[in-house]
């Protein structure tokens, strides 16, 4: 059966990195004797420019019909006016919400050959392998009311942090299931010393833990977690946390790898259809120069193969090809390439596809 994959290149370096990941998927399909139908659709700033809407109905319809979606990045200075009525980021948030993609998996592994690219000491990084499970459709990102108003002649703005027990339970349960296939440890991160929503989070996480006697649960406050991430990163296995904390802690954890450009993610809901995207943004400073790292997008394609298409063997193949390219010295500029030796986005993609062909 043909699998339909929707490509949402988006803005900035998004189209550059998605192009390479698309070619990797095409190479894998040919090898596996599978047929993938690719459809390109617009999202984010590009969609605002074309349609006045960061998530046009045609894009959302195509995503609903697809088996899987691969996204580059959205946003950029062109659409950043704080008073703008529509923003590129609304397209991505709207898509996550509309498809019910409540869990965002962000695996962060420190590759030994990249230790020199990280500002952390190499000895700290040895064997670091953390899976973040970030809640993706609740919390501050979506809570109501959210508004801006003038009260008594002064401006004021409101965002709301709200979680229901069911929203917490489903994402925590997924984190426990995933921990079963790893090192059986879950760290639930909250701010229960201050926030009511975090106290509910902690209570529900403790109840869910009872369903998984084989998995150890610990709770940690988000501020001390932020420090422990860079002082003892090996002490974590699976980290589950709410939307905003997960956004912030995962960019911090990207430091383990030396570059934000290599971390993939999978956004999953109840069915098998998922949205796959590198965790980095549109990198306006690099856009249009062909120098961005495509590895985050390519590893997101690997997650797509595994979680939405049931092609675990092919996903392993892509991940091994990326590791082999890194081990044999392939580096884009952000990975600490020696002067004059940095690969372009396209050359890195090509190098990884050569490893796939040779496997
Ligand atoms: P960013 O992730 O775009 O960039 C942060 C830093 O990392 C920059 O120095 C950038 O050059 C570098 N970087 C990012 N991706 C890279 C790659 N693939 N290769 C090499 N270097 C890379 O974050 P930002 O600058 O804070 O945000 C820029 C825009 O991206 C904003 O509009 C923001 O809303 C948007 N954004 C989108 C997503 C997404 O679409 N999922 C994620 C984060 C930020
Ligand atoms: C991410 C991004 C998004 C988020 C933005 C662009 C809405 O930072 O995917 O990490 O905050 O979720
Ligand atoms: Mn982010």
């Amino acid at each position: 059966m043909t699998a339909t994959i929707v490509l949402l290149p988006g803005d900035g370096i998004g189209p550059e990195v998605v192009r390479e990941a698309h070619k990797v998927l095409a190479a894998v399909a040919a090898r596996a004797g599978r047929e993938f139908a690719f459809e390109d659709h617009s999202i984010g700033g590009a969609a605002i420019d074309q349609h006045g809407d960061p998530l046009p109905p045609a894009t959302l319809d195509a995503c609903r019909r697809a088996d899987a979606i691969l996204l580059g990045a959205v946003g950029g200075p062109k659409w950043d006016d704080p008073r703008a009525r529509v923003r590129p980021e609304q397209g991505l948030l709207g898509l996550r919400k509309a498809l019910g993609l409540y869990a965002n998996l962000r695996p962060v592994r420190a590759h030994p050959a990249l230790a020199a690219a990280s500002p952390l000491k190499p000895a700290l990084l040895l064997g670091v392998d953390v899976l973040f499970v970030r809640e993706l459709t609740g919390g501050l990102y979506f809570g109501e009311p959210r508004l801006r108003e003038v009260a008594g002649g002064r401006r004021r703005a409101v965002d709301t942090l709200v979680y229901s027990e069911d929203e917490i339970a489903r994402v925590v349960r997924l984190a426990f299931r995933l921990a079963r296939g790893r090192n059986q440890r879950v760290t639930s991160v909250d701010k229960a010393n201050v926030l009511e929503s975090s106290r509910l989070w902690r209570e529900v996480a403790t109840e869910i833990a009872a369903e998984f006697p084989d998995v150890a649960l610990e709770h940690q406050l988000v501020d001390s977690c932020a420090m422990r991430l860079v002082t003892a990163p090996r002490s974590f296995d699976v980290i589950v946390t709410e939307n905003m904390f997960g956004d912030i802690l995962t960019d911090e954890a990207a430091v383990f790898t030396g570059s934000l450009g290599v971390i993939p993610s999978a956004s999953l809901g109840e069915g098998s259809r998922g949205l796959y995207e590198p965790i980095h943004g549109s990198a306006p400073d690099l856009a249009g120069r062909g120098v961005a790292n495509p590895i985050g997008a390519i590893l997101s394609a690997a997650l797509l193969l595994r979680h939405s298409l049931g092609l675990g063997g092919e996903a392993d193949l892509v991940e091994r090809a990326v590791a082999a390219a890194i081990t044999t010295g392939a580096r884009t500029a952000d990975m600490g390439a020696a002067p004059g030796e940095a690969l372009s986005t396209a050359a890195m993609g090509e190098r990884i596809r050569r490893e796939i062909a040779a496997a």
Side-chain angles (χ1 to χ4, degrees):
M1 247 183 42
T2 303
T4 301
I5 300 172
V6 164
L7 302 174
L8 304 176
D11 307 318
I13 62 169
E16 302 169 39
V17 298
V18 164
R19 187 176 306 125
E20 298 311 315
H22 175 192
K23 287 186 190 167
V24 164
L25 286 170
V28 167
R31 227 186 118 100
R34 290 281 305 252
E35 210 160 296
F36 296 166
F38 295 98
E39 280 182 36
D40 252 66
H41 290 275
S42 67
I43 193 164
I48 292 176
D49 289 353
Q50 281 173 34
H51 308 283
D53 180 350
L55 182 61
T59 297
L60 183 55
D61 286 349
C63 291
R64 286 191 198 282
R65 287 191 310 267
D67 295 296
I69 305 146
L70 181 69
L71 179 135
V74 297
K78 180 173 178 191
W79 308 279
D80 256 352
D81 177 356
R83 305 306 302 264
R85 195 184 44 84
V86 286
R87 294 186 58 91
E89 292 80 359
Q90 291 165 346
L92 178 54
L93 298 176
L95 182 59
R96 291 169 176 170
K97 190 73 170 177
L99 299 182
L101 304 172
Y102 62 81
N104 183 222
L105 279 43
R106 300 186 160 191
V108 184
R109 277 181 217 107
H111 193 290
L114 290 179
S118 173
L120 297 183
K121 293 192 177 79
L124 274 185
L125 295 174
L126 208 67
V128 168
D129 180 349
V130 186
L131 175 64
F132 287 85
V133 181
R134 170 190 176 194
E135 201 290 327
L136 202 60
T137 51
L140 267 177
Y141 278 57
F142 295 96
E144 299 283 349
R146 51 192 293 120
L147 58 92
R148 185 172 160 136
E149 64 185 2
V150 179
R154 308 301 294 162
R155 289 167 294 172
R156 115 185 237 282
V158 178
D159 292 289
T160 300
L161 173 43
V162 52
Y163 271 109
S164 71
E165 64 171 300
D166 296 338
E167 285 178 299
I168 300 166
R170 63 186 180 180
V171 72
V172 170
R173 197 173 274 122
L174 177 64
F176 272 90
R177 274 198 225 111
L178 292 165
R180 271 194 169 148
R182 296 172 48 99
N183 292 319
Q184 295 89 39
R185 287 186 293 120
V186 171
T187 306
S188 173
V189 174
D190 61 41
K191 186 72 185 172
N193 52 345
V194 176
L195 300 175
E196 203 54 53
S197 59
S198 278
R199 285 190 279 274
L200 178 62
W201 183 283
R202 193 172 277 219
E203 194 173 303
V204 173
T206 304
E207 289 161 12
I208 299 297
E211 299 171 16
F212 299 85
D214 49 328
V215 178
L217 170 67
E218 64 172 343
H219 302 283
Q220 184 156 27
L221 298 173
V222 64
D223 46 356
S224 67
C225 178
M227 189 187 79
R228 179 175 155 201
L229 275 172
V230 288
T231 51
R234 228 180 354 257
S235 66
F236 293 104
D237 179 20
V238 175
I239 294 178
V240 63
T241 191
E242 65 95 45
N243 203 344
M244 175 85 127
F245 297 160
D247 180 45
I248 296 168
L249 294 178
T250 49
D251 271 31
E252 183 191 3
V255 169
F256 306 160
T257 68
S259 173
L260 188 57
V262 303
I263 317 280
S265 86
S267 303
L268 306 173
E270 292 307 337
S272 67
R273 182 188 47 223
L275 166 65
Y276 300 85
E277 39 170 326
I279 78 163
H280 65 71
S282 58
D285 50 329
L286 306 182
R289 294 169 41 204
V291 297
N293 194 333
I295 290 181
I298 289 171
L299 291 176
S300 297
L303 295 178
L304 181 158
L305 292 165
R306 180 176 296 126
H307 293 287
S308 283
L309 304 189
L311 295 173
E314 283 72 12
D316 293 344
L317 176 71
V318 173
E319 288 168 353
R320 278 198 307 270
V322 168
I326 291 172
T327 305
T328 56
R331 302 277 183 279
T332 45
D334 54 295
M335 300 166 87
E341 284 178 15
L343 297 182
S344 67
T345 309
M348 178 61 96
E350 179 55 37
R351 179 75 172 261
I352 292 165
R353 290 189 295 278
R354 250 195 289 137
E355 295 288 348
I356 291 173

